[in-house]
């Protein structure tokens, strides 16, 4: 039959063995193991522990010397000396240091009679909450006269302070003269009252061991052992709560993956979404190019009043010829009726072409981004992102699908729209005299030819000279009337010259208009060709920019596919890892539950 002490020692050993495999993994378990070892050593010695606390190490040693030599106390007690712990800054019930020092059966606090410090008062207050069966305050009397008034007054003051707190259980107070027990102290005769106080202190400890001291020791050791087991239990409780949280989180993750992120289901959805996006992409860019080409055709349609070709034709048709002189030479130039400050019609034509082409190009770029293809690039990119954003756990960057309506792609081409053509021709105007002489000569030669033709063809029987005499024969009748003859000749001649002057004016104007028509045709053909070339170049820039956006979208879709495949693979891997982690956590929980059950058995001391 094992004694209580042997059963307790066995339980302490079982507790040490219970946590032995954990001490190398956790510092807390290592500390508990050390405490259990100390408790076991204390139990094996079988002595009660007297803890002496004092800031005066000499006085504490003197008290130890007295008690150690008092009768047979050395056989029943183990004496320990320590300094008083300092009062913590925070207002805590009891510091860990004091708890360790007060882990004893008898607690003796040695204080100075003259003036108790605040720290000594705090230790005395905390001593009432310790598990020591006996709490003693030893007041060192500085001299050998108990009847000294100052001494009595100080002792009364300490007793009054102790009574004011009404400590429960009570704390005994012993005023003693310790000087004779100082190391290397001379033998002194102790005043009877003080000697009685020392003897009373010794008998108090002696009486304590006469009541079954083993029970006192076992009670304290049991309390200390249960406290350490409670520490283990608290660690297990925290581990159990942590395991519950980890298991709950793992189950939630696994459930979430099973419900919303089924790999096969997501893969099928993703493939359908990618197929739809690619089909929509092909359809969208084809439609945008079709609408753009329609707008381009309208711009180059010469029968469309809004086209650039029609505006060039209309502008050139309204130009008027103008003759300018440079030195002795004359030139025909074209000028607009409302000509601006520019002297060169090329400037006006370039202004017309540049303004219209710039407006058209900018408008087309904005249409490509906002209108063509039922919403433009901006809407289609956003629509593509919405279609692909189908997996809650897979977030693809939305910024990749943002479009930037940047005009730099065609601004350089607009700046390069420079052209010009010679818009004048040399104009050689015939003088009036030369024109009249030439016309008279031509008319006279015509008359001579006609007369010759008549006589040669037999239309007249006379020769050419006789035929002409016959024609002018009526004029001979006015030979004696010079005035009538003069009038008869002057009127036809005046009419002839007026007709020649009119013809001269008409011929000059017709020649000017012919030159102007030729210049207009050249100018119109040149700038219409220039407009067509410019439109083609700008169109190529716009189409290139559109195709660049198409290529960017293609790369985004390919990147989405690659990242999605990697994500689905990660989901599958994560599900395996989470499932494995969950199984490990459940195993740990099962092991912890068994350990907690075993720990409950150890608590049954």
């Amino acid at each position: 039959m094992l004694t209580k002490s042997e059963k307790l020692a066995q339980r302490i050993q079982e507790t040490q063995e219970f946590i032995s495999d954990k001490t190398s993994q956790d510092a807390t378990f290592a500390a508990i193991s050390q405490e259990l070892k100390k408790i076991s050593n204390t139990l094996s010695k079988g002595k009660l522990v007297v803890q002496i606390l004092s800031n005066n190490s000499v006085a504490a040693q003197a008290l130890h010397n007295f008690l150690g030599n008092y009768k047979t106390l050395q056989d029943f007690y183990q004496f320990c000396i320590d300094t008083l712990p300092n009062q913590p800054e925070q207002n805590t019930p009891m510091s860990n240091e004091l708890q360790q020092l007060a882990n004893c059966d008898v607690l003796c606090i040695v204080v100075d009679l003259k003036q108790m410090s605040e720290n000594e008062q705090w230790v005395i207050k905390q001593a009432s909450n310790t598990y020591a069966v006996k709490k003693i305050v030893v007041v060192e009397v500085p001299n050998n006269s108990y009847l000294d008034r100052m001494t009595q007054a100080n002792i009364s003051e300490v007793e009054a302070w102790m009574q004011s707190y009404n400590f429960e259980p009570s704390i005994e107070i012993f005023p003693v003269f310790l000087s004779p027990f100082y190391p290397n102290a001379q033998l002194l005769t102790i005043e009877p009252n003080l000697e009685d106080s020392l003897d009373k202190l010794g008998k108090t400890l002696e009486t304590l061991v006469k009541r079954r001291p083993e029970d006192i020791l076992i009670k304290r050791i049991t309390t200390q052992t249960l406290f350490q087991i409670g520490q283990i239990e608290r660690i297990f409780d925290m581990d159990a709560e942590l395991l519950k949280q980890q298991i709950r989180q793992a189950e939630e993750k696994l459930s979430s993956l099973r419900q919303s992120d089924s790999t096969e289901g997501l893969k099928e959805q993703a493939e359908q979404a990618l197929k739809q996006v690619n089909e929509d992409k092909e359809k969208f860019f084809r439609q945008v190019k079709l609408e753009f080409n329609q707008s381009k055709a309208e711009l180059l349609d010469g029968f469309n009043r809004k086209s650039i070709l029609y505006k060039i034709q209309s502008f050139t048709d309204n130009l008027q010829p103008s003759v300018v002189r440079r030195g002795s030479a004359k030139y025909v130039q074209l000028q607009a009726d409302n000509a601006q400050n520019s002297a060169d019609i090329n400037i006006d034509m370039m202004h017309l072409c540049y303004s219209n082409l710039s407006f058209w190009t900018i408008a087309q770029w904005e249409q490509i981004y906002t209108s063509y293809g039922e919403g433009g690039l901006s809407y289609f990119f956003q629509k593509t992102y919405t279609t692909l954003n189908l997996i809650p756990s897979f977030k693809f960057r939305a910024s990749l699908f943002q479009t930037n309506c940047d005009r730099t792609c065609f601004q350089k081409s607009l700046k390069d729209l420079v052209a010009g053509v010679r818009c004048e021709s040399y104009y050689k105007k015939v003088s009036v005299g030369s024109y009249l002489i030439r016309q008279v000569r031509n008319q006279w030669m015509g008359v001579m030819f006609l007369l010759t033709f008549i006589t040669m063809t037999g239309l007249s029987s006379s020769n050419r000279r006789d035929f002409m005499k016959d024609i002018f024969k009526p004029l001979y009748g006015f030979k004696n009337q010079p005035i009538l003859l003069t009038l008869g000749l002057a009127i036809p001649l005046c009419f002839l010259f007026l007709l020649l002057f009119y013809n001269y004016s008409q011929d000059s104007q017709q020649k000017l208009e012919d030159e102007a028509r030729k210049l207009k045709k050249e100018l119109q053909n040149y700038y219409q060709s220039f407009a067509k070339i410019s439109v083609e170049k700008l169109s190529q820039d716009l189409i290139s920019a559109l195709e660049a956006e198409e290529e960017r979208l293609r790369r985004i879709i390919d990147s989405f596919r690659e990242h999605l495949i990697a994500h689905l693979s990660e989901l599958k891997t994560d599900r395996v890892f989470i499932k494995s982690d969950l199984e490990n956590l459940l195993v740990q929980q099962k092991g912890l539950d068994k350990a907690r059950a075993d720990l409950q058995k150890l608590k049954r001391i």
Side-chain angles (χ1 to χ4, degrees), residues 9 66 76 83 118 149 155 162 172 198 212 236 250 292 300 307 343 349 354 389 460 471 475 482 486 505 582 598:
F66 165 70
F76 299 98
T83 58
E118 291 184 2
R149 290 182 179 179
I155 292 174
M162 296 279 291
E172 298 184 53
L198 282 169
R212 296 181 61 84
F236 283 172
F292 172 75
L300 297 177
S307 70
M349 290 296 291
Y354 185 86
N389 189 27
S460 175
I471 293 175
L475 295 176
T486 301
S505 176
L582 180 58
D598 294 340

Side-chain angles (χ1 to χ4, degrees), residues 577-593:
F577 278 122
I578 292 173
K579 187 176 180 180
S580 177
D581 289 344
L582 180 58
E583 292 174 354
N584 292 334
L585 290 172
L586 291 173
V587 171
Q588 292 179 31
Q589 187 183 48
K590 186 177 180 180
L592 183 60
D593 290 341

Side-chain angles (χ1 to χ4, degrees), residues 411-425:
Q411 284 179 341
K412 184 178 183 301
S413 296
L414 285 175
K415 291 179 181 179
D416 293 340
L417 295 182
V418 179
V421 66
R422 184 172 176 271
C423 298
E424 63 180 16
S425 63

Side-chain angles (χ1 to χ4, degrees), residues 51-68 79-84 108-111 138 140 178 181-183:
Q51 181 70 59
I52 301 173
L53 299 178
S54 177
N55 284 333
N56 188 341
S57 60
V58 178
Q61 185 62 47
L63 179 60
H64 177 271
N65 293 339
F66 165 70
L67 295 175
F79 298 97
C80 302
I81 300 175
D82 272 298
T83 58
L84 289 173
C108 293
I109 303 171
V110 182
V111 299
V138 177
E140 183 184 12
L178 295 175
F181 305 100
Y182 281 8

Side-chain angles (χ1 to χ4, degrees), residues 310-323:
Y310 184 86
K311 291 179 179 180
I312 291 173
Q313 179 182 346
S314 178
F315 182 82
T316 53
D317 288 345
N318 292 326
L319 295 177
Q320 299 298 325
S322 174
V323 179

Side-chain angles (χ1 to χ4, degrees), residues 326-392:
R326 293 197 193 108
S328 60
K330 293 181 179 180
Y331 296 89
V332 177
Q333 290 184 346
L334 297 177
Q335 289 185 352
D337 292 338
N338 54 346
Q340 300 178 359
N341 295 330
S342 59
D344 189 353
I345 198 65
N346 284 289
I347 297 176
D348 295 328
M349 290 296 291
M350 280 303 303
H351 175 74
L352 172 67
C353 293
Y354 185 86
S355 60
N356 281 272
L357 292 178
S358 297
F359 176 80
W360 177 80
T361 306
I362 294 173
Q364 288 304 301
W365 191 237
E366 291 177 353
Q367 291 281 75
I368 288 172
Y369 265 87
T370 61
S371 179
Y372 287 165
E374 300 180 359
L377 278 173
S378 180
Y379 171 76
F380 184 74
F381 268 66
Q382 193 60 41
K383 176 185 175 183
T384 303
Y385 173 74
T386 303
T387 304
L388 295 178
N389 189 27
L390 73 163
I391 303 177

